[in-house]
Structure formats: structure tokens, C-alpha cells
Amino acid sequence: MVGKVFRKARRDFMFRYGRRLRQLEHWLVARLAMVMLSLLRLLPPDSALNFADRAARRIGPLVGRHRVAVNNLRLAYPEKSDAEIEAIALDMWGNMARLAAEYIFLDALFDFDPNASKPGRVEVRGIEHFVEIAGEKKPHILFTGHLGNFELLPVAAATFGMSITALFRPPNNPYLADYILSTRRSSMGGLLPSATGASFALAAILENGGNIGVLVDQKFSGGVETTFFGRPCQSNPMLGMLARHYDCDVYPARCVRLPGNRFRLDIEDKLSLPRTEDGSVDVNAATQLLTDVVERWVREDPGQWMWFHKRWEISGRRRKRRGQAREAG
């Protein structure tokens, strides 16, 4: 009896200690990031972004996630040499560093003016779609992936008078999450953290004729099994389910990073979603279609996607294998 009480007390202490240790780690990482961003803010935007890129290309290969990225790249591109794989991984780190630094320069970077006589830092393809969506009194879904500076898409939508609520996944670090959320809100429209109940909130927006933006390229535990670069993965079926229920138009949109700290925002033609025999949207097939679109984008600009994400990890499979191994033993 005494032993059980002691073990329980020990577990409770270790849990509280571990939680406080993680909180301290989050705080220290966030403070370091804030200091670095404050220093970058002292530089002109181009100088700050170029410096962040150079630094990330040196630091990125030293962190554990670099091995994940390289392994994913080798599986996705078995025909590429080690040098080509490493070059893509370095481009990825440069892109991620630029994305982080661009948070503090969003207002200065987005200079797109539909009436300007000269091209600026940002160019837009598919302007007619932005205008059409803004003028229609019905719900729409726009989806994208973690490519280039995807944060510029809601800013562009607002330029054309299009109201949109973007679903986003906040960082695990709560201090960084608060900072990023405050930065986003200063430059964008509505934002909805990805959490329990988010699908109901998005449904309510569509029900009222609103527009939503969703990132679709991350692993979703327990989701629909799809293929990405020929390998099985799990994808979130939410977009397909919403499109089926509200029968709304779905548009692909992405940001492409161009040389010279410039950007191209593409909003493509609306998708023709696969349907079942009764005419409703086929959720599984639609989810695969979205995944195929993202794969096309990534293949066109592989260094602008986050390869360190464990996109192909299937939840439950590792646990099932362990159980089978114990039974075999």
C-alpha cells in the first residue's frame, strides 16, 4: 500500500516537473526567437531576409529535423543524387527562415496594387477568380499548402475585397503562438486556430455564405488514407466533407517564392470535384485530388515545402506492429 502511494506521488512529481521544464524550454526558445526577430527588424527588409536565409542554411543541417527532411527527400526522389537532395534541403531551410523573418515585414512586403503601372514585389495570377469570389453571395473554399509565404494569400484576398477566414495550426510553443497570432491578425482577415470544434466553426461560416481558407498538406492522424509522392499517408477529409454538405466551389491557391525577395500568388481555376453515383461529392476521392494538387506544386518547387514534417507517418501502425511483435514472441 505504501509502495503504491509512493509510486503515485513520484509519478505526480515527475509529471509536474516535466510540464514546468517544457514550459521553461518554450519560454527560452520564444525569447531567443523574439530577440533574433527584433535584431532583424533593425535591418532593411531585403537585408534581413537574405541574412535569415544564409543563417538557416548553416544551422538547419545541425538539427535533428534535417535528417527527417533528407530521408523524406530520398524516398520521394529516389532518382536524385545525394548532392541534389542536400541542395533541396538547404533551400527548404532558407525558405522557412525567410517565412519566419517575413512576419515582421508583411506590411512592407505586400505591395500589390491592381492599378499600378509597374510591377511590384508581389504579382498575382488569377485576379479574375479573386474578383469573382468577392462578388458572389455564396460560400467558397480556398486551399493551399505550406509553400513559399502562404501567409500572403489572405492579405491578397483582402485587397480584392474578399472576406475569408483562414484555419491555421498554431505552433506547439504557446509563447510563439501568441506572437504569430497577433502578427497575423494585424495584416489579415479572420483566423481560426485548428482545435476541437474548428470544423463546426468553419461549417457555420459556410452556412452564412462566407469563405474559408484551409491548409491541406499536413498529416492528419486517423484521416483518410491517400498517397503523396507514391507513398501512403493520412489526410484530413474535412474539406471534402464541407464541400459535399454545402456544395460550394473549391479553388486551389498557392504562393511561389521568386528571386529577389519577390512573390507570385496563384489562384487556379476551381476544381471539378469527383462525385458519387448520387451526385454528391466523393469525400475520399476529393481528398486525394487535393493531395495530388499539392504534390504537383511541391514537384514544381521542392525547396519551398517543409520536408521535415512527418507527412508519411501513419498513426496507429507503429503501435499495431509492436502488438504483433509481442504476439509473435
Side-chain angles (χ1 to χ4, degrees):
M1 182 66 180
V2 175
K4 288 183 178 179
V5 172
F6 175 77
R7 286 194 295 271
K8 183 178 183 303
R10 182 174 180 274
R11 285 197 303 269
D12 291 343
F13 170 78
M14 293 302 295
F15 175 77
R16 290 193 298 270
Y17 175 76
R19 185 170 59 181
R20 290 179 180 177
L21 190 62
R22 284 194 300 273
Q23 186 176 8
L24 176 61
E25 180 183 4
H26 285 323
W27 184 85
L28 289 173
V29 169
R31 295 314 303 170
L32 177 60
M34 299 300 179
V35 169
M36 293 176 64
L37 290 175
S38 296
L39 293 174
L40 289 176
R41 198 188 297 271
L42 300 175
L43 299 173
D46 287 309
S47 299
L49 300 181
N50 293 339
F51 173 81
D53 184 295
R54 291 193 300 270
R57 289 171 182 270
R58 291 178 177 272
I59 298 172
L62 303 179
V63 303
R65 286 282 176 168
H66 185 73
R67 291 190 295 274
V68 175
V70 169
N71 183 59
N72 283 338
L73 281 162
R74 284 174 177 157
L75 292 172
Y77 294 104
E79 75 282 2
K80 291 188 180 296
S81 66
D82 288 346
E84 290 173 314
I85 294 296
E86 192 67 24
I88 295 174
L90 292 180
D91 285 343
M92 175 202 70
W93 287 119
N95 176 69
M96 297 307 300
R98 287 177 179 275
L99 175 62
E102 283 160 359
Y103 276 115
I104 61 179
F105 297 112
L106 275 181
D107 292 336
L109 292 175
F110 191 84
D111 62 355
F112 179 75
D113 181 358
N115 301 314
S117 57
K118 296 181 180 180
R121 191 186 291 269
V122 177
E123 61 182 68
V124 179
R125 291 184 181 176
I127 292 178
E128 66 278 8
H129 296 316
F130 276 118
V131 174
E132 181 180 3
I133 294 171
E136 291 181 336
K137 303 298 182 182
K138 66 177 187 178
H140 303 83
I141 300 175
L142 280 74
F143 74 91
T144 189
H146 291 81
L147 290 143
N149 191 330
F150 50 91
E151 306 287 6
L152 292 174
L153 289 166
V155 183
T159 300
F160 294 98
M162 189 178 87
S163 176
I164 187 168
T165 298
L167 180 70
F168 76 101
R169 183 185 182 279
N172 294 329
N173 186 318
Y175 302 101
L176 284 177
D178 289 343
Y179 169 77
I180 291 174
L181 184 57
S182 64
T183 303
R184 283 171 160 174
R185 278 181 173 153
S186 67
S187 306
M188 304 178 192
L191 292 168
L192 182 65
S194 176
T196 303
S199 59
F200 296 104
L202 293 176
I205 293 169
L206 294 175
E207 182 75 36
N208 293 319
N211 308 306
I212 63 172
V214 185
L215 287 153
V216 299
D217 59 339
Q218 288 190 309
K219 168 195 168 185
F220 186 77
S221 299
V224 173
E225 186 157 315
T226 55
T227 58
F228 188 58
F229 279 81
R231 299 166 58 199
C233 61
Q234 291 175 313
S235 300
N236 193 339
M238 179 182 64
L239 192 154
M241 295 170 68
L242 291 172
R244 180 179 64 184
H245 186 77
Y246 294 100
D247 198 24
C248 48
D249 294 335
V250 176
Y251 288 85
R254 62 168 166 167
C255 174
V256 179
R257 195 179 295 282
L258 303 175
N261 296 318
R262 298 182 64 251
F263 310 89
R264 187 181 75 242
L265 306 181
D266 291 340
I267 178 166
E268 301 177 359
D269 296 339
K270 65 182 177 183
L271 292 181
S272 178
L273 297 178
R275 306 259 172 181
T276 59
E277 292 183 358
D278 64 2
S280 60
V281 172
D282 185 327
V283 174
N284 287 12
T287 305
Q288 181 62 62
L289 176 60
L290 305 181
T291 306
D292 291 341
V293 171
V294 174
E295 179 177 332
R296 169 170 59 82
W297 291 341
V298 175
R299 286 188 180 277
E300 290 175 6
D301 300 285
Q304 298 190 26
W305 192 65
M306 51 179 198
W307 290 95
F308 57 76
H309 174 58
K310 297 181 180 179
R311 182 67 177 95
W312 291 275
E313 186 177 80
I314 306 295
S315 63
R317 189 173 281 184
R318 188 177 300 172
R319 191 180 306 152
K320 181 178 179 181
R321 287 173 179 169
R322 287 175 180 171
Q324 291 173 343
R326 283 196 295 268
E327 291 175 5

